[in-house]
Amino acid sequence: MLPMATQAPIALTTNIADVTGVGSSSARRYRKISIRCVADLVLHLPVRYEHELPEQSIEQASNLVSPVHGAEANIAVCGEIAVVRTLRGRHPRIEATLEDGSGTIKLTWFNTPWMRGQLHPGMGLRVWGKIKRYGDYLEMINPHYQTIDADRPSEPRSERFRPIYSGTEDLPSAMIERAVQAVLDPTLAQLDDHLHDQYRTERALPTLAEAYRMVHRPTDADEPKAGRRRLAFDELLLLQLAVFLKRRHRREALRAPALKHNQAIDSHITARFPFQLTESQRTVIDEIAADLKVPTPMNRLLQGDVGAGKTVVALYAMLMAVADGHQAAMMAPTELLAEQHYASISEMLSGARVSIELLTGSLTAAEKKSVLARLISGEIDILIGTHALLTETVRFHSLAVAVIDEQHRFGVHQRAKLRVKSGEATSAPHTLVMTATPIPRTLSLTLFGDLDVSTIRGLPPGRKPVITKYVSQSQADEVYAYVAKRLAQGEQAYVVVPVVDESDRGLKDVHSHLDWLEKGHFKGRRLASLHGRVDRDQREQTMKRFRAGEIDALVATTVIEVGVDVPNASVMLIEHADRFGLAQLHQLRGRIGRGSRASLCVLLADPVTDDAKARLEVIATTDDGFEIAEKDLEIRGPGELFGAKQSGLAPFRVAELPRDLDLLRMARRDARSWIEENPTLAGERDALLRTRVLKAHGKALGLGDVA
Ligand code: ADP
Ligand code: MG
């Protein structure tokens, strides 16, 4: 066992520079990998383990190998080098003989020129690896080795599972290992467990201290797994407890306007819609209306595939607010999308006595001032906008319903911020969060675990499925020639490229691609470009002309990903499709297939990575957004998804989804009943747990006021 620190006592908050054997210069290297204090060090978990065999005498080792020629065994021995030879020629190698008084073995290293001159007779050596019997002698080929002090033989090493840490070139695993071992015992002795004994034993979870010990200093191959299970469970449990605390708080402490709803209001609202609601839309609307009728703030996630028709559902909720004399807000992730919502909602409400306004970053100061004044006076009924709605100066007279479109682009923090717009700390609007990227169940349970979920299944009637083809760049000419024919027949197309300007990465860009098409395959057709750098007016003009059929093909970046709705556009070509994420491809494809024609989506790509290949295959074989979302999670892992990073909640340090789904279920179930039993985690038994939950998630979930 390593000696314990002798100077200042080690605490979790002890600076890494004060750890025995670290010092200020290597502390800098630790800080580079975000290890600043002892707690960070202990939280830096090994990435894997090296199984070190127990050390034996050569005689014992030789008894392990059966006397048959060619028999093998894994061993570790210590001894002294008797002879070393360096052999050149066709099979350059180093041969040595190792003896320990009980026997002799031959060591051979092939192709290891760097070892030349490193070994000398008389040198002490520990070797481990596979030993093989050749007739009457034993040989190890390319064994691992370590020099030792032959004059001062140490205790024979016992079996060990040596932790391997991720480090850097100048902070190797062994160095981190030494530091961890130096702090582990004193640190763990101070580590109180936030889970009480009965709870732990019922679930076969080790104590927190024991879990860290198992991970950093396992005594067998199974301990790291058991330790990790506890640590992963902890992360999930703390998050779920935070989520249920928040939920309970919202239900108990916050009040939203209870909105009037009856048959007359319903007919009045639906009469505005230019189509019959689908059964699924109706179901979802009923769920929402039921929420809005009570003074508990709704907190609902509305998911439905691209084009499923979420907008009217949101509009229904907003009109319920207006019908009862309150206001509603709708926040979209991009200006283009906010503008489109504004346009389509204005159209549906034309002639109605509902005042709608648009608030985006591009308003002039005077326009903005006027909007804000009419908002606070209550003149404006519905405000649609971008994240500009979140600014401090945006104050509603009486906000009853807040709709957030495309939640995954915002994240939990912002969700919390929009809520407080209505003034008093105890009032909150009903919140409807919409996403067109179906959230895999696994994730919605964690990231969005405090939301109730409504799902629109299927698409409105009359849609033809989109045919998706995935082809190599080498077929681009054929593809464009074919698309040109369809354009000649009056169809419209989107051509999506990854960048606006020529880049050094050899990607197709909007400008040169437009040029290439104008002079080539699409000669004589009406073309236009669309990307984020074009100003709002011009972008809107272009979209209007495209929608009006005055443009045949639009060469664009992913700005068209969300929103735009042009039923006559029935072809989409995506260049460098391997550069886009699954959710993005699915969104892009959702722009077509909105009219009566059979639509075609062509993915042009020659993917090099396995991930990219997998993505393209998924998108080519299914158009079910839910399935795509699950696949996306499998391929990319959850950390990348849905702005999870910005949300401040994921990724986890130890837990990993969907791998730890069972643990997540257990955490969720337990957290729910825990909060039911002790709604504020009050009392001595849960005091530490409460502190840790708030420390981990209080800020991100806006739990500061739960006290
Ligand atoms: P998303 O769910 O992607 O936001 P939208 O709300 O933009 O979808 O709806 C996509 C299209 O479907 C729009 O043109 C909309 O008018 C139309 N739509 C929505 N609901 C219906 C319905 N019940 N019947 C026919 N068309 C509908
Ligand atoms: Mg939408």
Side-chain angles (χ1 to χ4, degrees), residues 431-697:
T431 305
L432 182 67
V433 170
M434 304 201 288
T435 177
T437 310
I439 294 166
R441 255 192 75 67
T442 36
L443 260 202
S444 64
L445 287 181
T446 55
L447 262 187
F448 304 104
D450 61 333
L451 299 174
D452 297 310
V453 179
S454 287
T455 305
I456 302 183
R457 295 186 197 282
L459 300 177
R463 300 271 172 82
K464 293 248 170 65
V466 176
I467 297 162
T468 304
K469 300 263 187 230
Y470 150 34
V471 303
S472 155
Q473 272 296 343
S474 61
Q475 288 168 271
D477 278 321
E478 271 168 73
V479 169
Y480 280 103
Y482 171 73
V483 172
K485 271 191 223 151
R486 290 182 66 153
L487 295 185
Q489 285 159 18
E491 291 184 58
Q492 287 173 287
Y494 296 101
V495 178
V496 180
V497 295
V499 288
V500 179
D501 293 315
E502 234 171 302
S503 73
D504 46 13
R505 288 171 296 168
L507 299 175
K508 298 205 171 141
D509 63 278
V510 171
H511 300 307
S512 26
H513 203 56
L514 180 70
D515 197 48
W516 179 76
L517 286 172
E518 260 169 353
K519 293 189 181 124
H521 293 291
F522 290 0
K523 196 169 175 180
R525 300 261 77 91
R526 295 159 305 172
L527 307 182
S529 64
L530 191 76
H531 53 81
R533 271 188 243 157
V534 178
D535 75 45
R536 174 164 78 110
D537 285 352
Q538 206 187 328
R539 225 160 53 200
E540 207 167 323
Q541 280 311 312
T542 306
M543 271 326 295
K544 270 194 194 133
R545 282 168 49 224
F546 188 59
R547 205 178 310 203
E550 292 162 21
I551 293 169
D552 299 311
L554 208 51
V555 180
T557 57
T558 54
V559 290
I560 58 152
E561 181 191 335
V562 279
V564 285
D565 191 18
V566 182
N568 191 52
S570 50
V571 179
M572 173 163 290
L573 284 160
I574 306 177
E575 290 275 359
H576 302 286
D578 53 324
R579 316 278 310 188
F580 300 103
L582 259 182
Q584 222 171 9
L585 290 171
H586 182 61
Q587 288 282 325
L588 285 168
R589 181 171 58 182
R591 297 304 109 211
I592 56 170
R594 290 174 169 242
S596 50
R597 249 192 279 250
S599 295
L600 172 72
C601 175
V602 183
L603 310 169
L604 285 152
D606 296 292
V608 282
T609 67
D610 287 345
D611 276 9
K613 270 180 218 159
R615 283 201 303 272
L616 294 174
E617 258 147 45
V618 168
I619 209 84
T621 49
T622 176
D623 62 357
D624 178 338
F626 288 91
E627 198 179 324
I628 289 171
E630 293 288 351
K631 289 278 181 352
D632 202 17
L633 182 62
E634 264 170 48
I635 297 171
R636 287 199 295 175
E640 304 274 325
L641 285 172
F642 310 122
K645 283 201 180 111
Q646 297 97 284
S647 76
L649 290 179
F652 300 111
R653 201 184 271 270
V654 191
E656 200 181 288
L657 295 169
R659 189 194 64 194
D660 292 327
L661 194 54
D662 282 345
L663 282 181
L664 173 61
R665 290 206 184 97
M666 176 165 129
R668 198 166 167 78
R669 197 188 54 218
D670 287 2
R672 187 194 300 263
S673 48
W674 204 309
I675 297 298
E676 261 164 32
E677 228 173 79
N678 185 4
T680 56
L681 295 180
E684 205 184 325
R685 193 197 70 181
D686 291 345
L688 186 57
L689 181 63
R690 182 190 154 84
T691 308
R692 294 208 172 132
V693 168
L694 292 181
K695 185 157 182 249
H697 303 294

Side-chain angles (χ1 to χ4, degrees), residues 251-423:
R251 303 212 156 164
E252 305 285 306
L254 299 180
R255 283 290 161 266
L259 301 178
K260 233 183 7 226
H261 190 241
N262 54 39
Q263 195 56 53
I265 290 174
D266 179 77
S267 335
H268 207 72
I269 294 177
T270 49
R272 287 277 154 204
F273 302 155
F275 39 68
Q276 191 88 32
L277 291 171
T278 64
E279 213 171 291
S280 192
Q281 281 171 323
R282 192 69 246 184
T283 309
V284 165
I285 282 175
D286 291 344
E287 286 168 357
I288 292 170
D291 280 0
L292 300 184
K293 269 160 60 178
V294 296
T296 304
M298 173 175 77
N299 202 32
R300 191 169 278 280
L301 176 74
L302 171 59
Q303 48 174 351
D305 219 336
V306 209
K310 294 181 290 296
T311 316
V312 287
V313 173
L315 182 56
Y316 190 104
M318 294 197 286
L319 289 176
M320 263 182 75
V322 177
D324 202 22
H326 297 278
Q327 293 169 300
M330 184 180 210
M331 185 162 80
T334 64
E335 289 205 359
L336 202 63
L337 191 55
E339 285 155 19
Q340 187 181 296
H341 280 317
Y342 177 72
S344 68
I345 290 175
S346 299
E347 201 178 303
M348 282 190 256
L349 298 183
S350 69
R353 284 191 315 265
V354 178
S355 138
I356 315 171
E357 278 296 341
L358 181 65
L359 182 71
T360 64
S362 5
L363 291 194
T364 64
E367 286 168 333
K368 192 170 170 199
K369 208 172 146 201
S370 151
V371 168
L372 294 183
R374 284 178 294 132
L375 188 66
I376 197 138
S377 74
E379 254 174 274
I380 294 174
D381 298 311
I382 296 179
L383 184 64
I384 297 174
T386 53
H387 54 273
L389 297 196
L390 297 171
T391 12
E392 229 12 77
T393 49
V394 179
R395 295 259 161 220
F396 291 83
H397 176 68
S398 172
L399 178 63
V401 170
V403 177
I404 303 173
D405 200 10
E406 306 298 332
Q407 163 66 28
H408 65 279
R409 288 162 187 255
F410 289 109
V412 177
H413 290 106
Q414 282 167 330
R415 245 206 292 147
K417 267 196 241 156
L418 191 76
R419 255 189 221 122
V420 296
K421 286 300 163 201
S422 48

Side-chain angles (χ1 to χ4, degrees), residues 97-149:
T97 309
L98 189 78
E99 46 183 46
D100 72 346
S102 78
T104 308
I105 51 177
K106 186 179 166 195
L107 309 173
T108 306
W109 287 273
F110 287 102
N111 296 315
T112 49
W114 65 87
M115 280 179 64
R116 208 168 286 154
Q118 301 256 320
L119 304 180
H120 311 284
M123 193 181 229
L125 212 60
R126 167 181 293 126
V127 295
W128 63 98
K130 198 169 275 174
I131 190 166
K132 199 165 178 175
R133 186 179 297 286
Y134 289 101
D136 56 357
Y137 71 92
L138 293 164
E139 183 175 15
M140 295 180 84
I141 307 284
N142 289 345
H144 298 283
Y145 73 97
Q146 189 182 28
T147 55
I148 51 171
D149 194 340

